[in-house]
Amino acid sequence: MERTYDTFVDNGLFILAYYLEKEIQEISYEDIENSISIMSEKVEEYLECEKYSNLKSMVLFNSAVSNPSLKNVKLETPLKEFLNNKGSDYCAVCGKHHANINMNLKGRSYLPNKPSATYFNFSNNLHNINVCPYCLILTTYSVMNCRVNNWVYLYNSSDNEFMESFTITRQDENNQDILLKAKKLKENKNRINILMEMIEQNATFSGQVEMHMFSNGKTEDINDSEKIYSKNIKLLRTMEELSLLSEFRNLKLGWLLVGDKLEANYINYIYDSEKEELKCSRELFDFLNKEVNKMDNKTIELVDRITKNLVDAKLDISKIRKNIKGVKNIKDFDEAVMELEEIYLEKTGERLFDTYEYNELTNIRKYVKIKNMMLIDLI
C-alpha cells in the first residue's frame, strides 16, 4: 500500500507492517482485511495496560474500547462493519475509490478530530464521511504509536526510515509494558527528548519530522502540529557524531528546534550575559555558532571588522552587547546599528560602515545571524 502522508493512517500502516513482518509497500488491501481480528486484539490488549489506558478516551472516545454501553462489543465488530460498508466513492485521505458516503460513523469515535473538523461532512451530517474503511481501520491501529504529554501526540515524517524506527521502538516498548503490567507514569517524557534519544540510538533518518498533538475526547477539540525541519535533524545528527548531543539536551535547547527557533534564541542558553561567562563547553559554543550562523565570507569579514573597530575604539562593550541582545526585530536592529555608527563616529571621527555595508548589515533575511555574530565577537 502507498503512504497517504496522513499522520494517523501512516502510523497504522507502519504498525501493521511491524506485526505482519512486511515492508509497507508489500501491505495489500487483503492484508488489512485479514488483519482485523488479530490487530483488534492487540489494540485492546495495549489499551488494557494501565500505562496506556487513558488513550481509550483521548483517542478512541465513545468507541467500542471506551464506551461503557459497548463493553461486550469487541473492537473487531465495528471495524468489520466498516469493511462491509466499502463503496466506490472517492476517499478524502488515500484518494482511492473505496469510500461509501452513506456509511454511518457515530461521532468521531474512530477518526480523531476528523469527522467534526478536518473532513467535509456530507449534507452537514457529522455521521457521514468520505473516508474509506481501510483508512478508518489503519487510523484505529495508530493508537498503538500514541503517547501522552498533556495531549496525545504522534510523530509523522516523509522519511520511511524514521517511521519504521519509531514504530519498532514504540511497539517493542508496548509489548514489554504489557508483559510487565506497567503502571501509569507520573511524569511523561518530553516529546522532543524522545526524538533526540532516537538519534542517539543511531537511527540514520534525516527528514523533516512532524509532531501531531490532539485530543479526541468529549469536551476537548485539540488538533495541532509542530515541525522539526530536516536541517535541524541533521544538526542533531552532527552533534551526536561529535558527542555534543547530551550536553545540548541537558541545556534544554531541544524545544528551540520546534518551529525553527534556535537561530533567534540559542545564545541566551549558552552564555550568561550578567556574569559574562559560558554556560556550556567551548566545543558546543563554537559548534552552534558555526552551524547556526552560516553566512558568506564577505558578510563574516564585514561583521568581524566592525566588532574589532568597536573594541579598538575602547567603547563600552558591555553596554553595546546589552543593546544588541535586546533586539527583537529588524526595526530594533536597524536602530541599534545606527546607534553604533553614531557613537563610533563621535569617538573616532570616522565612519563605522558605508551605505552599501549598512544595507548588508540590515538585510532582513540575514540580520538575526548578523546579530548573533556580533554578540559572539563581542563576548
Side-chain angles (χ1 to χ4, degrees), residues 179-220:
L179 183 64
L180 297 176
K181 298 181 180 180
K183 304 298 182 182
K184 287 183 180 178
L185 298 175
K186 292 183 178 179
E187 292 184 6
N188 293 294
K189 286 184 180 179
N190 180 283
R191 55 188 179 274
I192 308 295
N193 283 339
I194 289 173
L195 180 62
M196 290 192 280
E197 284 176 6
M198 291 180 67
I199 290 173
E200 287 184 309
Q201 292 164 2
N202 295 317
T204 59
F205 61 87
S206 58
Q208 175 177 295
V209 175
E210 180 179 26
M211 293 168 292
H212 193 84
M213 296 167 290
F214 67 99
S215 176
N216 198 36
K218 181 178 180 180
T219 59
E220 300 291 350

Side-chain angles (χ1 to χ4, degrees), residues 123-137:
S123 302
N124 251 349
N125 186 342
L126 298 184
H127 291 176
N128 295 105
I129 57 170
N130 53 336
V131 179
C132 76
Y134 297 112
C135 289
L136 267 165
I137 292 165

Side-chain angles (χ1 to χ4, degrees), residues 1 8 15 26 43 86 108 189 348 357:
M1 181 175 172
F8 299 95
I15 289 169
E26 299 172 345
V43 170
K86 182 174 64 174
R108 57 192 185 195
K189 286 184 180 179
T348 66
E357 291 169 337

Side-chain angles (χ1 to χ4, degrees), residues 95-311:
K96 305 297 183 183
H97 290 271
H98 295 146
N100 177 6
I101 61 174
N102 294 314
M103 182 177 72
N104 187 279
L105 181 70
K106 294 180 180 179
R108 57 192 185 195
S109 304
Y110 300 92
L111 280 177
N113 292 90
K114 292 175 181 175
S116 60
T118 306
Y119 290 100
F120 175 75
N121 298 296
F122 289 91
S123 302
N124 251 349
N125 186 342
L126 298 184
H127 291 176
N128 295 105
I129 57 170
N130 53 336
V131 179
C132 76
Y134 297 112
C135 289
L136 267 165
I137 292 165
L138 292 175
T139 293
T140 303
Y141 297 167
S142 73
V143 68
M144 291 195 288
N145 266 357
C146 290
R147 292 294 186 268
V148 177
N149 190 347
N150 293 324
W151 308 117
V152 183
Y153 67 97
L154 191 59
Y155 294 113
N156 197 23
S157 174
S158 59
D159 191 317
N160 285 0
E161 187 169 354
F162 169 82
M163 293 300 294
E164 183 176 352
S165 175
F166 162 64
T167 300
I168 290 171
T169 300
R170 279 283 192 264
Q171 299 313 305
D172 287 350
E173 182 182 10
N174 292 350
N175 292 327
Q176 182 179 6
D177 287 337
I178 290 168
L179 183 64
L180 297 176
K181 298 181 180 180
K183 304 298 182 182
K184 287 183 180 178
L185 298 175
K186 292 183 178 179
E187 292 184 6
N188 293 294
K189 286 184 180 179
N190 180 283
R191 55 188 179 274
I192 308 295
N193 283 339
I194 289 173
L195 180 62
M196 290 192 280
E197 284 176 6
M198 291 180 67
I199 290 173
E200 287 184 309
Q201 292 164 2
N202 295 317
T204 59
F205 61 87
S206 58
Q208 175 177 295
V209 175
E210 180 179 26
M211 293 168 292
H212 193 84
M213 296 167 290
F214 67 99
S215 176
N216 198 36
K218 181 178 180 180
T219 59
E220 300 291 350
D221 187 15
I222 304 298
N223 192 2
D224 199 6
S225 64
E226 298 174 332
K227 292 180 181 178
I228 296 184
Y229 296 103
S230 56
K231 68 174 184 177
N232 287 327
I233 297 290
K234 292 175 182 176
L235 186 73
L236 290 172
R237 174 79 56 218
T238 304
M239 282 192 283
E240 193 273 334
E241 292 170 356
L242 297 174
S243 300
L244 295 172
L245 186 55
S246 292
E247 183 181 5
F248 182 85
R249 288 177 58 192
N250 291 337
L251 287 168
K252 298 183 174 18
L253 283 160
W255 76 274
L256 294 176
L257 300 175
V258 179
D260 208 21
K261 305 181 188 77
L262 188 64
E263 179 182 282
N265 297 283
Y266 81 98
I267 290 181
N268 293 333
Y269 286 77
I270 64 175
Y271 183 75
D272 188 326
S273 57
E274 297 297 325
K275 296 180 180 178
E276 298 190 349
E277 63 184 27
L278 296 182
K279 296 193 284 186
C280 67
S281 67
R282 187 72 199 193
E283 289 79 10
L284 182 60
F285 180 81
D286 291 340
F287 171 81
L288 289 175
N289 292 334
K290 177 183 176 183
E291 295 297 322
V292 175
N293 301 309
K294 287 184 176 179
M295 283 191 294
D296 59 277
N297 290 333
K298 189 173 182 180
T299 304
I300 293 172
E301 290 172 2
L302 170 62
V303 174
D304 287 346
R305 194 201 78 214
I306 287 174
T307 53
K308 182 178 184 301
N309 287 346
L310 292 173
V311 173

Side-chain angles (χ1 to χ4, degrees), residues 350-362:
E350 299 177 357
R351 295 284 303 275
L352 186 59
F353 46 75
D354 59 30
T355 302
Y356 172 81
E357 291 169 337
Y358 164 76
N359 290 334
E360 187 70 14
L361 289 170
T362 55

Side-chain angles (χ1 to χ4, degrees), residues 308-360:
K308 182 178 184 301
N309 287 346
L310 292 173
V311 173
D312 290 346
K314 297 182 179 180
L315 298 171
D316 188 342
I317 299 303
S318 180
K319 182 179 179 181
I320 291 173
R321 272 203 310 265
K322 184 177 180 181
N323 289 343
I324 295 174
K325 185 175 179 292
V327 165
K328 303 297 183 185
N329 51 51
I330 184 62
K331 182 180 178 181
D332 289 348
F333 189 66
D334 192 310
E335 292 178 358
V337 167
M338 290 307 300
E339 184 176 341
L340 290 178
E341 165 75 347
E342 290 173 7
I343 61 175
Y344 184 78
L345 181 62
E346 183 179 345
K347 183 69 179 285
T348 66
E350 299 177 357
R351 295 284 303 275
L352 186 59
F353 46 75
D354 59 30
T355 302
Y356 172 81
E357 291 169 337
Y358 164 76
N359 290 334
E360 187 70 14

